[in-house]
Amino acid sequence: MPLPPFPPFTAETARLKARLAEDAWNSRDPQRVSLAYTPDCRWRNRAEFIQGREQIVAFLRRKWEREQDYRLIKEVWTYADDRMAVRFAYEWHDVGGQWFRSYGNENWEFGEDGLMRRRIASINDLAIRAEDRKFRWPSGRRPDDHPSLSELGL
């Protein structure tokens, strides 16, 4: 099923595409997230290689079992034609209660139907104190008035 906005991207449509991706990931619903990708989408997430929606769903289930109370902000770095680069940060805690802020960059490539066909993610985790968290909105979509990564100095 096509998923607007479609390439080639403009500044406005690139921002919208990144926000829609952020919203889906903040839902923590693996099935919902997987529908933004082509059925044969290829991922590299850290050192893990994933192909297809079935593997995406399995990966995301594992991820959110480990990364609890996950909250994410994405920001467009650049875009051209059918590709985008985004930077992101997310906060989460492990089962022991240790909080982390994970920082990363993603390269995205889209088909004409607006579905992502390739995702390459590089991510680093930083242990933080609970009182140093910056992403404190209720579970789900980031409120529109919440500061962006740039506004937070991240």
Side-chain angles (χ1 to χ4, degrees):
M1 187 142 191
L3 187 63
F6 305 110
F9 296 110
T10 64
E12 181 180 336
T13 62
R15 273 193 304 277
L16 177 58
K17 194 71 153 177
R19 181 57 193 243
L20 292 171
E22 175 188 313
D23 291 349
W25 281 68
N26 277 327
S27 77
R28 292 182 290 199
D29 178 344
Q31 195 63 42
R32 174 183 171 190
V33 172
S34 74
L35 296 177
Y37 302 92
T38 61
D40 62 346
C41 184
R42 292 183 177 269
W43 281 21
R44 182 187 51 78
N45 194 89
R46 300 178 192 245
E48 191 168 351
F49 295 84
I50 299 160
Q51 183 172 1
R53 286 183 181 158
E54 195 172 301
Q55 289 183 15
I56 290 170
V57 168
F59 168 83
L60 292 173
R61 283 190 180 129
R62 288 190 317 273
K63 173 184 178 63
W64 289 322
E65 283 175 14
R66 178 176 172 265
E67 297 177 357
Q68 298 177 5
D69 289 323
Y70 174 97
R71 285 167 180 72
L72 164 75
I73 299 176
K74 289 185 182 283
E75 190 172 279
V76 173
W77 186 254
T78 191
Y79 63 90
D81 302 321
D82 63 348
R83 296 177 184 208
M84 291 175 52
V86 298
R87 64 188 200 93
F88 61 88
Y90 61 90
E91 293 179 350
W92 57 280
H93 67 81
D94 63 18
V95 294
Q98 173 62 58
W99 280 93
F100 295 87
R101 186 174 304 120
S102 299
Y103 298 94
N105 299 290
E106 293 177 317
N107 297 316
W108 297 345
E109 181 181 7
F110 294 89
E112 291 178 2
D113 58 3
L115 297 175
M116 195 181 304
R117 60 183 171 212
R118 186 165 39 165
R119 174 183 173 267
I120 301 167
S122 299
I123 308 166
N124 297 297
D125 303 319
L126 174 67
I128 60 172
R129 299 176 309 166
E131 56 268 23
D132 293 333
R133 292 175 49 218
K134 297 180 182 285
F135 305 172
R136 295 181 176 268
W137 65 87
S139 183
R141 186 177 194 274
R142 176 174 54 103
D144 290 334
D145 62 350
H146 190 282
S148 68
L149 292 179
S150 292
E151 292 167 333
L152 289 168
L154 299 175

